[in-house]
Amino acid sequence: MVDSFPVEVCRFARAYRCRLLAEESAFGYDEMAKQTFYGLRAHLWVSWPGVICAVSLAPAIVHDLHVAEKLREVAEGWVLGDRNYHNPNLTERLGDRGLRLLTSYKSSKKEKRAWPRFLVQKRCRIETAIAQMVGRYDLKKVWAGDRWQLCSPWLRKVSSHPLVIWLCQQVSLSPLRSLQRLTN
């Protein structure tokens, strides 16, 4: 599964004079908050149980399709994406390499029938993984001055996520349960 979420570098009012990660940051639009932000966009590739397989940080102006080109290197088999990844040309290029990209149409009017319920439930897996990463580690906001200050905490946080999933499985919990359940 593949999806992305915004990562603010600084508040929008300070964006024009912000020097934090100036080479990497750009203006982008956050669909959930319905507002423009200044920063990066994190792209996550998540396997079925909810384990993060790969992460990519790109400037916010870069569209999801451009980052999805990297799927050839990371994924095999089937990849489930949201409407931002719908592009017949991309699907065909990935299909030539043995990768099947499943996305819904950009407009719900073009879809002849609704997505099957099991695909919608599988999409909830990546939404849960993103919500946990944002909730536990506050990944939507980064106050880093340079690349090292950005990459070092990100790598620690992302690499700890599979450990949390493994711990949950060791005590017979669902893979995406919170660690708060482990301590209670």
Side-chain angles (χ1 to χ4, degrees):
M1 293 164 275
V2 62
D3 205 357
S4 65
F5 65 93
V7 178
E8 292 181 10
V9 171
C10 68
R11 303 221 184 263
F12 183 74
R14 299 181 187 140
Y16 285 105
R17 60 183 184 269
C18 181
R19 287 187 243 157
L20 301 175
L21 297 167
E23 296 86 29
E24 292 87 7
S25 300
F27 287 97
Y29 188 73
D30 183 3
E31 290 289 334
M32 295 301 291
K34 303 283 189 230
Q35 65 184 12
T36 304
F37 72 98
Y38 180 73
L40 307 166
R41 185 165 288 280
H43 301 269
L44 292 180
W45 290 274
V46 176
S47 68
W48 161 241
V51 178
I52 296 173
C53 299
V55 175
S56 176
L57 285 173
I61 194 83
V62 176
H63 195 273
D64 292 345
L65 290 175
H66 298 295
V67 180
E69 290 286 339
K70 294 181 183 179
L71 283 174
R72 302 185 281 226
E73 304 161 8
V74 178
E76 309 177 339
W78 296 73
V79 176
L80 192 57
D82 61 3
R83 293 172 192 238
N84 290 337
Y85 296 95
H86 176 73
N87 185 338
N89 295 331
L90 175 67
T91 304
E92 183 178 323
R93 282 194 307 266
L94 293 176
D96 293 341
R97 300 190 191 286
L99 184 65
R100 173 89 187 206
L101 180 64
L102 293 174
T103 61
S104 58
Y105 288 105
K106 279 284 192 184
S107 171
S108 59
K109 294 176 186 174
K110 289 183 181 179
E111 285 193 69
K112 306 224 183 307
R113 56 191 165 115
W115 264 39
R117 187 174 190 89
F118 74 94
L119 284 180
V120 174
Q121 290 172 347
K122 288 190 188 309
R123 280 281 311 146
C124 289
R125 257 320 150 158
I126 192 165
E127 300 296 336
T128 303
I130 288 173
Q132 286 183 348
M133 295 300 288
V134 170
R136 282 189 194 133
Y137 302 119
D138 200 24
L139 285 184
K140 276 200 169 189
K141 294 183 176 133
V142 174
W143 310 114
D146 59 6
R147 284 185 189 183
W148 174 253
Q149 291 175 348
L150 172 71
C151 291
S152 179
W154 261 82
L155 289 175
R156 282 193 316 266
K157 293 171 182 179
V158 170
S159 63
S160 71
H161 192 259
L163 176 66
V164 170
I165 290 175
W166 181 77
L167 288 173
C168 286
Q169 289 177 337
Q170 293 304 309
V171 293
S172 301
L173 290 176
S174 171
L176 292 177
R177 282 288 178 124
S178 175
L179 272 180
Q180 294 169 347
R181 298 282 181 159
L182 291 175
T183 58
N184 290 344

